[in-house]
Amino acid sequence: MEFALVESESFSPSCPTLTMPALSIGNVGQLAVDLLISSSRARRVAYLDEPSVLPCAGNDAFGPDAVGDLALALEAYESTSHKLAFIQQRSPVTTGMMVSFAKNVADFISSIGKDHIVIISSLDSGKRRVIDASSDMQVYYLSSCNEDGSDPEYEKLGWKKLEDYDPSQKRWNYLASLVKGGGLSEDMDDDTDEMTINDYYASLPFAALFSACKAKGLKVSCVLCYCSEGDNMPESFQLAEAICKLLGHGPEKFHGNGSNGWIVPLSWKSVYGPPPDMSIF
């Protein structure tokens, strides 16, 4: 992965934690990263060039006014006041290139000196085995802290380890082999049309990113929620707040003027309208 620094900018060693989305249903990860970038007033520090990501361009995503400052497919941002770095991904990865993309991302993150990667993503609620009847969205996680994906610090936040994650399971093993340079085995190739619910998670972009960063020796965490397609602003607000709790930054520490102190990005307003009243969720 190549990058071009914005004039007078550089990657800061005072921002050791990097948060990025893994594209999935409802674009919740991207929306949450948008919200975190906007509310922390993070500066764009670099444009990233990754051949496996489809190119795209649009008007300024964060404003406050649309002045024609282009937003591209992959960009890096930093907020030194919050000691946070971000990668925002605005277009999907070419079919069949997800593992290559994940390995390139892990190499790049390691090369710029980041030591904790937080991946935000969503899961299809139609794949959920147990329905939580409570009104609050349940946050799930995976962590490289322990081999089974568990982390006692995240349990203290009231989060649940992602059910059915089993690093010894066939497809997770296969994914680990791929990010380490292994080839496709014949028995795996033969049963690609017979995926079970246990295989669903390992097939998603967050799984490739998690496996690649873990193989690189980086500390990596995934913060996840179930959702359906639609207006996913509520989930994005709640996942952004979950990231704040994880990193010790309450929403009140952001310089927001919107719902719950958040600054809603300019790019949302033409699509979603005013932010929801988060007090009802």
Side-chain angles (χ1 to χ4, degrees), residues 81-157:
S81 61
H82 294 82
K83 299 182 179 180
L84 297 176
F86 305 93
I87 288 177
Q88 180 59 294
Q89 180 184 349
R90 297 190 175 94
S91 64
V93 173
T94 305
T95 301
M97 296 296 292
M98 189 62 222
V99 170
S100 174
F101 169 70
K103 291 168 67 175
N104 290 343
V105 166
D107 289 342
F108 168 72
I109 291 173
S110 178
S111 74
I112 60 174
K114 308 306 178 186
D115 55 24
H116 183 195
I117 317 308
V118 180
I119 299 165
I120 312 177
S121 192
S122 50
L123 308 167
D124 185 354
S125 59
K127 302 289 187 180
R128 194 171 184 178
R129 291 190 179 191
V130 179
I131 303 299
D132 188 345
S134 69
S135 60
D136 295 330
M137 182 192 77
Q138 177 63 56
V139 175
Y140 293 85
Y141 77 89
L142 277 183
S143 171
S144 61
C145 177
N146 293 308
E147 186 59 30
D148 66 353
S150 65
D151 192 318
E153 294 302 314
Y154 298 170
E155 298 287 338
K156 291 177 183 177
L157 296 174

Side-chain angles (χ1 to χ4, degrees), residues 81-84 241 243-245 247-251 253-254:
S81 61
H82 294 82
K83 299 182 179 180
L84 297 176
E241 187 165 351
I243 297 301
C244 289
K245 290 179 180 178
L247 302 177
H249 293 283
K253 293 184 180 179
F254 285 79

Side-chain angles (χ1 to χ4, degrees), residues 248-270:
H249 293 283
E252 68 278 358
K253 293 184 180 179
F254 285 79
H255 308 296
N257 56 7
S259 177
N260 271 4
W262 297 105
I263 295 178
V264 175
L266 176 68
S267 57
W268 289 22
K269 295 178 182 177
S270 61

